Amino acid sequence: MMTIQCRVTIDENQFIEDVTFQAVPRIGESVSMAGDTTSLRVSRVVHLPEGASQEALIVVELTSKIL
């Protein structure tokens, strides 16, 4: 099965983590992080142009706030 590597930030925090998803999450979708029971929702998905980053070309912003 193919997976997607994304850069993830939570609640506009400067901490960025690389996370693997089965598919690119959609805005408003509920997601969970490994080892964390917090309910998180996707607030923004940014597709970076080719070559802008050597690792992840998709940035996913998550929030613990209700959308």
Side-chain angles (χ1 to χ4, degrees):
M1 179 176 263
M2 215 164 128
T3 58
I4 304 291
Q5 186 78 18
C6 299
R7 284 259 160 109
V8 172
T9 63
I10 300 173
D11 289 328
E12 299 177 9
N13 191 339
Q14 294 299 318
F15 179 73
I16 296 175
E17 184 176 343
D18 288 333
V19 177
T20 302
F21 292 99
Q22 296 295 328
V24 176
R26 296 181 178 157
I27 294 173
E29 185 176 3
S30 199
V31 297
S32 60
M33 305 283 281
D36 191 357
T37 59
T38 306
S39 179
L40 300 169
R41 292 224 179 243
V42 178
S43 60
R44 187 172 177 208
V45 178
V46 179
H47 296 260
L48 301 174
E50 288 289 333
S53 172
Q54 296 300 319
E55 297 170 10
L57 295 175
I58 299 172
V59 177
V60 177
E61 293 180 7
L62 303 177
T63 183
S64 57
K65 301 170 186 142
I66 297 173
L67 294 178

